[in-house]
Amino acid sequence: MDNKVKKIGILTSGGDAPGMNASIRAIVRTAVKNNIEVIGFMRGYEGVINCDYINLDNKSVSEIMQRGGTILLSARCKEMMTDEGKQKAIDVCKKLGLDALVVIGGDGSLTGALHLSRLGIKVVGIPGTIDLDLACSEYTIGFDTAVNTAMEAIDKIRDTSSSHERCCIVEVMGRNAGYIALWCGLINGSEEVLIPERPDVTEEEILAEIEKNRKNGKISNVIILAEGFTNVKAHELAKKVEASTGIETRATILGHLQRGGSPTAVDRMHASMMGYYAVQELLKGNTNKIMIMKDGKYDTIDLEEGLKATRTYDDTMYQIIKTFA
Ligand code: F6P
């Protein structure tokens, strides 16, 4: 079948997310099957601006699905925020004869794609971020792996906390969203979860809860703290808990551990399917879209509309965590 799309570029941008490689593989394999030439820009938009790219064929994406990170490397490109940077990116895309650009990344990366689309470059976005904070999609690639990694780490912290009858504060990632924290709060059976969506939880309440739990015979107390909860930081809270309750308390910041590792089956699946459908969209002549998950199904949304979308916070998970605690 003849199609108008002859050459596309791919980039991964912003914080890397497990599953990005599975998406790259899916895009390349689907494109090659449809006689589309593919290049991969290195270090996200930096690669576009500096015309730094590699040619991608079926062989170059062999055995990458199971690897964490991104073979195209990633960066947060400040130059892309300037008019000069955007113009350089446009010039490179035109010089290379690209019919479209597939951008895999989170909010900031897809905003970059929106700017390019306004300047005439055809783009398709794939949501890739461990934070799950793109309101237009029920799923973002990397979230499942990050949550599983955090869950395993918190289980281990619980073991040692129980042995020492301690309280522990575990900080998880998520930028301004509390999804990783909420999931871990539920699946790790934590006693408290502090998220940016619930800034109303006070230190007095946290301390009273710990004292109550101890009186009720609980020997450990796990508090999951989302990095976006700004009222108090992990080590500061640990000191306050120890000073106020007399219970030994330790703080752990899981940090970038959560971004690495081999993607889970869920991430490989969504990354592969969204990569496949992204190329199908281009073949149908549809551009300036974001691949999304909606009502459990793969779908697309207009790029601009998708980035404007907002999500109303639903307190149900928090309430369930507190019911179980
Ligand atoms: O967006 C992914 C993420 O890991 C966030 O959870 C975190 O706030 C941020 O990136 C950390 O960014 P960096 O790796 O640049 O320090």
Side-chain angles (χ1 to χ4, degrees), residues 46-304:
E46 265 181 43
V48 188
I49 289 170
N50 300 317
C51 197
D52 181 8
Y53 67 90
I54 54 171
N55 294 314
L56 292 170
D57 58 13
N58 279 347
K59 183 80 182 58
S60 53
V61 294
S62 284
E63 296 185 30
I64 66 165
M65 172 131 67
Q66 62 273 41
R67 284 168 55 188
T70 159
I71 60 158
L72 295 178
L73 312 183
S74 194
R76 301 189 195 279
C77 178
K78 291 209 176 79
E79 205 179 345
M80 228 345 240
M81 292 173 186
T82 66
D83 288 344
E84 294 75 28
K86 282 172 209 148
Q87 193 52 53
K88 276 191 204 166
I90 300 288
D91 293 344
V92 168
C93 289
K94 285 190 179 153
K95 185 178 98 181
L96 295 173
L98 293 186
D99 295 307
L101 192 60
V102 183
V103 174
I104 310 169
D107 194 39
S109 309
L110 299 182
T111 302
L114 176 64
H115 290 143
L116 293 185
S117 77
R118 284 181 180 149
L119 296 167
I121 301 296
K122 293 176 174 156
V123 296
V124 174
I126 296 184
T129 167
I130 64 164
D131 302 334
L132 196 69
D133 61 350
L134 264 174
C136 61
S137 182
E138 286 158 15
Y139 196 75
T140 61
I141 294 159
F143 177 73
D144 188 65
T145 308
V147 164
N148 273 282
T149 303
M151 177 190 74
E152 283 176 22
I154 296 165
D155 279 346
K156 289 173 183 157
I157 293 170
R158 167 82 80 176
D159 288 345
T160 172
S161 286
S162 297
S163 303
H164 287 265
E165 298 173 86
R166 283 174 175 162
C167 176
C168 64
I169 323 278
V170 188
E171 184 188 297
V172 296
M173 277 188 167
R175 201 177 288 277
N176 301 317
Y179 298 107
I180 297 177
L182 273 177
W183 274 62
C184 289
L186 192 56
I187 63 183
N188 287 103
S190 82
E191 279 67 31
E192 182 60 88
V193 56
L194 302 171
I195 52 173
E197 294 84 348
R198 289 290 313 256
D200 53 300
V201 181
T202 65
E203 272 172 32
E204 290 69 37
E205 282 169 344
I206 299 166
L207 297 171
E209 181 87 4
I210 294 170
E211 307 248 34
K212 188 189 85 196
N213 288 342
R214 190 50 63 106
K215 282 199 190 97
N216 289 342
K218 277 203 178 192
I219 57 169
S220 71
N221 213 295
V222 176
I223 299 174
I224 314 274
L225 172 68
E227 65 172 341
F229 183 84
T230 50
N231 296 5
V232 68
K233 290 287 135 202
H235 286 99
E236 185 193 340
L237 182 59
K239 277 191 195 136
K240 285 183 178 170
V241 171
E242 202 163 290
S244 164
T245 66
I247 301 170
E248 269 195 324
T249 304
R250 298 286 187 266
T252 309
I253 296 171
L254 293 186
H256 289 82
L257 176 88
Q258 296 157 96
R259 281 237 299 264
S262 179
T264 58
V266 169
D267 273 323
R268 294 182 200 198
M269 173 64 79
H270 294 329
S272 301
M273 297 298 276
M274 285 186 177
Y276 169 82
Y277 283 125
V279 179
Q280 295 302 325
E281 284 301 305
L282 292 175
L283 289 169
K284 283 190 256 171
N286 297 335
T287 54
N288 305 341
K289 303 270 179 202
I290 307 178
M291 306 309 304
I292 56 165
M293 174 78 71
K294 190 179 171 209
D295 301 328
K297 294 200 177 79
Y298 300 106
D299 204 340
T300 61
I301 188 166
D302 171 74
L303 189 54
E304 185 156 10

